[in-house]
Amino acid sequence: MDTGDIDRRPAKVLLDVRGLHVAYGKAEVVRDVSFDVRAGEFVVILGRNGAGKSTILHAISALIPKRAGTVTFDGRDLTAATPRETVQAGIVQVLEGHRVFHTLSVEDNLLIGTYAKAPRGDPTKLERIYALFPELAQRRSQMASRLSGGQQQILAVAQGVIGDPRLLVLDEPSGGLAPIVIDRILEVAAALCAEGLAILLVEQLVEKALRHAHWGYLVETGRIAVSAPAERLRDGELVRRVYLGGHAA
Ligand SMILES: Nc1ncnc2c1ncn2[C@@H]1O[C@H](COP(=O)(O)OP(=O)(O)O)[C@@H](O)[C@H]1O
Ligand SMILES: [Mg+2]
């Protein structure tokens, strides 16, 4: 059967997660999750609050232990890697809730984002970041605590981008902020993706997330319930199924 162009994905698998199980004590919250992100793709993981999305991301970034399963990145086995090794391999995760260092300036927050690769930070990378995020360039010497919540979130994303990831992982960048902030972040993510950076996004604002994504996974109580081209998910039927009783838009 001809399923059309939208079903086609790049052949090269960048991130490959197989049979992932994660538990907090006795509570298994991620059950046999397998999915991948292909080279150059913008992939979104959708699912209701508490479905296990952040847990999946944290297991990939080695921030919590895996009970079972494997994580492979560009052919390299990262199943037993440390968080630092994961970052050095090119997976950079921006955590939920715009965490930046409040007592440091915008610029020092950015320089910290480069430490994983170069021991003393790399100021040459700053100009590229300021070009991508002019709102930060204007405030480079301001204390991060003086930024709005939206600006702090943009700073948190910029801190991830300056680390030169090959896969940028964003966990709910909307985080209760103004719609214009999430639009900015998703636009920058899409622009970086167009330059070849792969994106793995978890987001509650389904419509916005699907607007930029190529591929989507729906997680339902710790399992992948649907894997489909983002275009197919945009029609809403599959998304409604998973969010039944929740908010699909
Ligand atoms: N540190 C933790 N200890 C115990 N349970 C947790 C912890 N973090 C998350 N959970 C539980 O695991 C489930 C999945 O959480 P999470 O991955 O944060 O979901 P999502 O990101 O999809 O909202 C939820 O039931 C949540 O209450
Ligand atoms: Mg979460």
Side-chain angles (χ1 to χ4, degrees), residues 42-247:
F42 193 134
V43 171
V44 62
I45 297 181
L46 304 171
R48 292 162 82 164
N49 207 10
K53 306 178 297 298
S54 295
T55 302
I56 292 169
L57 299 187
H58 291 165
I60 293 168
S61 296
L63 300 174
I64 51 172
K66 305 160 194 71
R67 185 149 287 185
T70 58
V71 173
T72 311
F73 189 67
D74 199 18
R76 182 172 158 202
D77 184 2
L78 291 183
T79 307
T82 62
R84 188 185 175 86
E85 286 163 350
T86 307
V87 171
Q88 283 172 338
I91 301 176
V92 172
Q93 182 178 349
V94 179
L95 296 171
E96 228 173 332
H98 50 275
R99 297 180 201 178
V100 294
F101 296 97
H102 281 199
T103 58
L104 295 181
S105 69
V106 165
E107 187 144 309
D108 284 343
N109 267 283
L110 289 172
L111 287 172
I112 279 176
T114 69
Y115 284 3
K117 292 214 164 150
R120 301 197 53 206
D122 181 355
T124 60
K125 295 199 170 141
L126 282 170
E127 291 316 313
R128 177 169 170 262
I129 291 298
Y130 288 143
L132 273 172
F133 302 97
E135 58 271 71
L136 297 180
Q138 291 160 16
R139 300 178 173 85
R140 60 176 83 189
S141 43
Q142 253 185 43
M143 208 68 98
S145 58
R146 297 193 48 219
L147 302 180
S148 68
Q151 288 161 353
Q152 286 182 19
Q153 180 66 304
I154 287 171
L155 177 58
V157 173
Q159 204 178 49
V161 174
I162 202 171
D164 245 348
R166 299 180 59 208
L167 174 71
L168 181 66
V169 182
L170 299 170
D171 193 355
E172 291 202 34
S174 65
L177 298 166
I180 190 157
V181 175
I182 179 70
D183 287 342
R184 265 294 285 140
I185 288 169
L186 293 181
E187 266 167 31
V188 171
L192 290 167
C193 185
E195 288 177 12
L197 176 64
I199 307 284
L200 178 58
L201 167 73
V202 162
E203 187 45 67
Q204 287 292 337
L205 300 177
V206 175
E207 258 174 33
K208 285 185 192 288
L210 287 174
R211 195 177 305 153
H212 296 281
H214 301 123
W215 201 267
Y217 294 96
L218 300 187
V219 176
E220 217 170 3
T221 53
R223 295 175 196 276
I224 302 277
V226 177
S227 165
E231 196 168 309
R232 256 186 236 289
L233 295 173
R234 272 178 217 132
D235 80 21
E237 202 39 58
L238 291 168
V239 175
R240 266 193 296 281
R241 194 192 112 198
V242 165
Y243 282 83
L244 207 64
H247 303 280

Side-chain angles (χ1 to χ4, degrees), residues 15-20 33-37 56 60 70-72:
L15 174 72
D16 197 21
V17 178
R18 293 293 123 200
L20 179 68
V33 160
S34 299
F35 73 99
D36 57 51
V37 178
I56 292 169
I60 293 168
T70 58
V71 173
T72 311

